[in-house]
Amino acid sequence: MKKTLLATALLAGFVSAASAQSSVTLYGVVDAALSYTNYSYSNSTTGSVGTSQFGARNGQQSGSRFGMKGVEDLGGGNGAIFQLESGFNPGNGTQSDSARLFNRQSWFGLQNAAFGALKFGRQNSVSYDYMGLKTDPFEIASALVGSTTAFTWDAARYDNLLSYETPVMSGFQAKVGYSFAAGNASYYQTTTAAGATTYTAGSAAAAYNFNTQNNLTGMTAGAKYSNGPLYLVATYEQLNPNQNVIGGLNNVNGFIVGGTYDFGVAKVYADYGRQYNGLLAGGNQQMQGITTSDITDPSAATTGNVVFAPGVAVNAYLLGLSAPVGANGMLLASWQMANPNAAFSQSAAYVSSANQSTYSLGYTYNFSKRTNLYAFGSYTSNYAMVSGLNATQVMVGLRHTF
């Protein structure tokens, strides 16, 4: 018994010494829910059709993931840093992206307490880190309650991103990055001689070509300010087309401004965003189209797709509220709207110019600091900006972080 205790103490000492030299943290989220989702479509010509699904869904409050992050002290206030993060489906144990082991994040870099951090690799966009996780009461949940329903580019990530982030200075912090090959599948809008609108497929998701101009490149930037109950932020995203697919197209870009204020009894959220010359993300969602014979889940294959479409613009709005209920509960609510411009009428076979509105309610209950129960519900009219397509979703789930 004494030998066992001695061995345990020695092992603990070795682990402590190792972690003091090179701090490495294993972390993750396991999130699963029972969900009911219904899509219904109707118009005066075709009548009404619909489809629904009830069953287990993965990562509806937060995407299930595991990861490693670490820092090594290099002396003089400098450190080597890294983060590797992989998404998975707890329902069947598979990776959420079969093409990538670390599909969520995969980067390394250097940091200095006085000068900030320089990183390279697959990283979250600034909108993801500064906006979605901060100015949405549902924290960009994978369910339809999340802000990505209207702000489709809110949760974007970039491959091959070189970024610099300042240290926090009197509550202010900023970040900027450039991607040499963004890793987003792309589509290019063209108009035929007869005036019809078509789409040409561009680069595949993970393509990185030798010719510099044969890559879809990107830029992400933003700044935030935090002071007590006040949080303010502005972000900008831009994707540049592969000119070897279709030349002469402009970049597609978007910005978001927003913030929160915590009154103690309740916290309020407000965001406004606009994307122009196309769609920064969620392209398949808008392009897939809905027919009376085949209503499929429009959110099924949307992640990372970008549409280059000259003149197309979408304004996005969000108002939200969170309020504590008792010692362990939290009530959540939000309204979102995506407002496309008339340019969408050029591609009526895929989308329309209908305003998409989403109304959401939620409740979370913390069993502990790391485990919580959640119940969400939402209703979306003109989902995917398709006139007459409505979506209803309710769910109950459990989330554990480690």
Side-chain angles (χ1 to χ4, degrees), residues 228-231 259-269 320-324:
L230 177 66
Y231 180 81
T260 67
Y261 193 90
D262 193 344
F263 292 95
V265 295
K267 187 175 184 179
V268 294
Y269 305 74
L321 177 76
S322 64

Side-chain angles (χ1 to χ4, degrees), residues 8-341:
T8 302
L10 289 172
L11 180 59
F14 291 147
V15 171
S16 298
S19 60
Q21 296 174 7
S22 179
S23 174
V24 177
T25 302
L26 174 66
Y27 68 93
V29 178
V30 184
D31 182 318
L34 284 177
S35 169
Y36 171 79
T37 304
N38 174 268
Y39 295 101
S40 61
Y41 177 68
S42 64
N43 61 34
S44 57
T45 302
T46 60
S48 300
V49 291
T51 186
S52 62
Q53 179 195 61
F54 174 74
R57 295 291 293 266
N58 164 48
Q60 295 300 282
Q61 182 177 17
S62 302
S64 296
R65 74 201 74 165
F66 68 91
M68 296 173 286
K69 57 184 177 181
V71 57
E72 181 186 15
D73 187 356
L74 301 178
N78 300 307
I81 53 178
F82 76 92
Q83 186 169 6
L84 305 172
E85 187 175 281
S86 177
F88 68 95
N89 185 341
N92 56 22
T94 58
Q95 294 175 225
S96 57
D97 185 343
S98 60
R100 309 169 189 253
L101 174 58
F102 298 111
N103 63 306
R104 293 179 62 92
Q105 295 194 76
S106 174
W107 57 262
F108 67 97
L110 297 171
Q111 68 178 11
N112 180 280
F115 298 105
L118 191 69
K119 303 175 183 177
F120 179 76
R122 180 167 173 80
Q123 303 171 55
N124 294 334
S125 68
V126 179
S127 294
Y128 187 115
D129 288 337
Y130 284 16
M131 296 290 313
L133 293 174
K134 300 291 187 179
T135 63
D136 173 11
F138 293 92
E139 297 184 351
I140 54 175
S142 298
L144 297 182
V145 298
S147 59
T148 52
T149 304
F151 296 78
T152 58
W153 67 103
D154 209 1
R157 296 183 178 92
Y158 295 91
D159 289 354
N160 308 297
L161 183 73
L162 180 64
S163 70
Y164 167 72
E165 186 171 35
T166 70
V168 178
M169 300 172 289
S170 300
F172 174 85
Q173 190 172 28
K175 183 175 181 180
V176 62
Y178 179 81
S179 170
F180 298 93
N184 291 22
S186 56
Y187 300 86
Y188 296 75
Q189 178 179 295
T190 55
T191 303
T192 66
T197 298
T198 61
Y199 287 90
T200 301
S203 58
Y208 192 176
N209 301 298
F210 181 78
N211 187 331
T212 301
Q213 292 186 338
N214 200 26
N215 290 294
L216 188 155
T217 61
M219 176 181 173
T220 180
K224 60 182 179 177
Y225 174 76
S226 181
N227 184 4
L230 177 66
Y231 180 81
L232 298 173
V233 62
T235 64
Y236 176 81
E237 310 293 337
Q238 177 176 306
L239 288 168
N240 307 308
N242 179 343
Q243 297 294 343
N244 288 336
V245 177
I246 296 176
L249 290 181
N250 295 326
N251 59 59
V252 53
N253 55 75
F255 70 87
I256 310 175
V257 294
T260 67
Y261 193 90
D262 193 344
F263 292 95
V265 295
K267 187 175 184 179
V268 294
Y269 305 74
D271 294 319
Y272 167 73
R274 178 179 173 87
Q275 52 183 329
Y276 186 69
N277 280 332
L279 304 170
L280 282 158
N284 265 2
Q285 173 178 301
Q286 280 79 12
M287 290 180 61
Q288 181 173 328
I290 304 297
T291 68
T292 57
S293 61
D294 181 24
I295 293 184
T296 58
D297 182 348
S299 65
T302 64
T303 303
N305 295 327
V306 54
V307 179
F308 294 95
V312 168
V314 179
N315 294 309
Y317 308 85
L318 181 147
L319 294 175
L321 177 76
S322 64
V325 180
N328 300 314
M330 184 70 71
L331 180 67
L332 311 171
S334 72
W335 164 81
Q336 302 177 55
M337 185 173 73
N339 169 226
N341 67 358

Side-chain angles (χ1 to χ4, degrees), residues 376-390:
F376 295 158
S378 72
Y379 173 78
T380 302
S381 61
N382 299 325
Y383 181 74
M385 292 173 281
V386 175
S387 181
L389 173 63
N390 301 318

